[in-house]
Amino acid sequence: MNKPEILLICASPRRNGTSAMLLERIHAVTGGEVVFLPQNGNLNELVLNMQQASTIVLSGPCYINTYPARMIELLEKASSTGGFSGQKLYGIINGGMPYTHTHRHGLTCLQLFAEQNHLSWRGGFVLGGGAVLNGKPLERHMSRKKIVPAFDQFIRHIQEGTHSPDSLYEKAQSSPPKIITRMIAKILSAKVEKNLRRYDHDPKAPNWYVREQE
Amino acid sequence: MIVIISDNSKGKWGAELAEAISRRETKVVHVEADKLNIKPCTACSSCSGKTYGRCVIPDDMQQVLPKIAGCRSLVLVSPVVFGGVSHHIKKVMDRMSTLGDPRYHISGGEMVKGMSGKGMDYYMVGIGDTLSERERSTFLFLHEENRHIMNVKGRAFILDNKMNKVAIDEIAREIAHE
């Protein structure tokens, strides 16, 4: 059966965030079909689409160091349905922290899923400092000089079906030096506290659920 | 208080562990995540802004969050799924953002978030049979990354499907006494 399609799945509940933006960037080059992972309900149809594609690209945000629950549910469902043979799988995970180690568990998850279900893992891309983009183009990323060519190289791998190594994204971003790290932490925390005070919250107060019980 | 949140869809591991810990510690709460109505996090950011510390999604997590917020130790029990936790457990973890500190702190030269208040000790128990070394280390890696960003202490354990009684007891002893 002819399987020429590239299926691009966005696992974020946001339609206009960074996960979607990265998929659209790929789609502009590779074509194929972009779908959004439904946040509730049956996943049978999506699993069927995955089986019918020749290449699958999964793009999602990083929640608590790996993909969101719904993405894991999709992988579980696909795994118990079975019926895959050699579909090429690529993954993208993007998170707020500017460190790739914070988010990369998601890609290892996908690789293990591929290996246990007869898909062909072709590599992934971890984007740190991505959440702040919130849908704006990659050209606005703080490490744009290296990140843009690196991600575009990743897109070429998808187009050609070739393996994309971890070194591609690792070399394109680096942890900020300690002084900058401290500065960023201070600036971001100040922003957070200003926002909380806007709603009359005390950032140092015990959590709402703890106060409610007292 | 020790809170155990388990995915029992494939086995009664949570109950076994809860029982073993109860023998050593008086206050143990056991939550079966796979039986609850827990919706996915929608990334609305309300919990870090408008309704600071409170999640606005009305579902069973509203009964679970106060337990986690007030506990001394949190234990997540899950089958090992592709080197991580199952979706039932991940849904709980995703919604725990509401208990996180939205500010940025420094630990080991990196920005981390931390938990609001003192935070709790954080344990993960992964169940699996014939797991590859890579899948085991991937599960442990997830827990390590969680601890780092949440700025909490704790350990991850991996258990065989057959749930060796001695192993459960050893885990219970470690969790109850820390």
Side-chain angles (χ1 to χ4, degrees):
Chain A
M1 187 168 145
N2 196 24
K3 294 189 288 189
E5 274 281 31
I6 295 183
L7 182 64
L8 305 136
I9 302 175
C10 181
S12 172
R14 291 185 178 171
R15 299 246 152 181
N16 300 304
T18 305
S19 306
M21 176 275 288
L22 293 172
L23 272 189
E24 292 294 347
R25 192 182 181 97
I26 299 171
H27 182 247
V29 175
T30 63
E33 192 188 352
V34 176
V35 300
F36 284 84
L37 176 60
Q39 292 298 297
N40 39 53
N42 199 291
L43 293 168
N44 291 334
E45 196 181 323
L46 185 53
V47 171
L48 202 64
N49 291 341
M50 285 170 72
Q51 287 171 339
Q52 289 167 348
S54 63
T55 300
I56 303 163
V57 183
L58 292 167
S59 174
C62 179
Y63 290 0
I64 324 286
N65 304 113
T66 192
Y67 282 121
R70 195 64 173 158
M71 169 77 110
I72 297 172
E73 194 176 355
L74 175 67
L75 299 179
E76 288 176 3
K77 182 73 187 170
S79 187
S80 69
T81 304
F84 290 90
S85 61
Q87 284 84 344
K88 299 187 188 83
L89 181 65
Y90 294 90
I92 306 161
I93 187 164
N94 80 89
M97 288 295 185
Y99 316 113
T100 57
H101 72 80
T102 307
H103 322 298
R104 74 174 170 85
H105 181 273
L107 294 193
T108 317
C109 237
L110 288 187
Q111 184 174 3
L112 287 164
F113 161 75
E115 287 168 8
Q116 292 171 25
N117 292 282
H118 311 291
L119 289 96
S120 174
W121 172 246
R122 293 298 163 108
F125 202 100
V126 176
L127 182 68
V132 68
L133 282 176
N134 203 17
K136 291 199 280 286
L138 205 55
E139 280 75 11
R140 303 276 288 272
H141 191 275
M142 60 185 181
S143 305
R144 53 184 159 269
K145 277 208 176 112
K146 287 186 174 167
I147 274 286
V148 171
F151 194 80
D152 286 344
Q153 174 60 47
F154 176 66
I155 297 178
R156 278 193 291 278
H157 281 301
I158 296 173
Q159 205 176 19
E160 285 152 26
T162 48
H163 186 89
S164 182
D166 289 335
S167 56
L168 180 61
Y169 64 79
E170 267 158 14
K171 284 190 187 147
Q173 50 205 306
S174 50
S175 311
K178 287 211 165 110
I179 286 184
I180 306 279
T181 301
R182 266 196 280 274
M183 262 174 54
I184 297 176
K186 271 210 166 88
I187 293 170
L188 290 179
S189 294
K191 262 188 164 171
V192 163
E193 290 187 357
K194 185 175 172 195
N195 191 38
L196 290 178
R197 276 192 295 270
R198 204 174 117 214
Y199 295 109
D200 282 319
H201 292 301
D202 174 9
K204 297 187 181 74
N207 180 266
W208 186 86
Y209 291 96
V210 169
R211 297 201 310 272
E212 266 298 286
Q213 288 171 87
E214 285 159 2
Chain B
M1 175 171 72
I2 295 181
V3 173
I4 302 170
I5 302 185
S6 62
D7 173 359
N8 303 317
S9 52
K10 294 185 177 68
K12 301 276 168 279
W13 309 301
E16 297 229 24
L17 189 60
E19 207 218 327
I21 296 180
S22 297
R23 279 185 252 125
R24 297 167 180 280
E25 168 87 25
T26 45
K27 214 162 174 225
V28 177
V29 170
H30 177 210
V31 175
E32 295 181 288
D34 55 301
K35 300 204 170 41
L36 299 179
N37 169 31
I38 299 176
K39 302 205 175 79
C41 173
T42 61
C44 71
S45 302
S46 193
C47 61
S48 58
K50 189 169 178 198
T51 62
Y52 177 46
R54 182 167 70 91
C55 176
V56 296
I57 301 175
D59 63 4
D60 290 343
M61 264 318 271
Q62 297 301 339
Q63 279 73 56
V64 180
L65 284 166
K67 299 184 166 92
I68 301 174
C71 78
R72 182 190 105 215
S73 299
L74 174 66
V75 187
L76 302 178
V77 184
S78 173
V80 176
V81 174
F82 313 125
V85 296
S86 69
H87 78 276
H88 290 296
I89 296 299
K90 190 65 187 4
K91 270 199 286 189
V92 172
M93 286 166 70
D94 291 347
R95 297 280 294 283
M96 272 172 57
S97 301
T98 193
L99 304 176
D101 187 339
R103 295 169 296 176
Y104 293 79
H105 306 276
I106 307 286
S107 173
E110 287 190 351
M111 284 185 285
V112 297
K113 302 294 286 192
M115 299 298 286
S116 62
K118 208 165 53 78
M120 71 280 181
D121 289 337
Y122 178 70
Y123 298 90
M124 272 167 61
V125 180
I127 322 281
D129 225 356
T130 63
L131 293 172
S132 67
E133 190 50 52
R134 197 155 54 101
E135 190 154 12
R136 290 171 155 255
S137 64
T138 303
F139 184 84
L140 298 176
F141 174 67
L142 175 62
H143 177 259
E144 192 187 313
E145 288 289 333
N146 284 172
R147 266 191 298 122
H148 178 69
I149 202 158
M150 289 157 62
N151 214 7
V152 292
K153 293 197 176 77
R155 264 193 71 188
F157 307 90
I158 296 194
L159 271 182
D160 195 274
N161 263 351
K162 294 171 213 84
M163 285 302 268
N164 183 294
K165 279 274 187 261
V166 172
I168 298 179
D169 221 50
E170 274 171 17
I171 293 175
R173 184 161 36 95
E174 187 155 345
I175 293 173
H177 287 175
E178 273 191 15

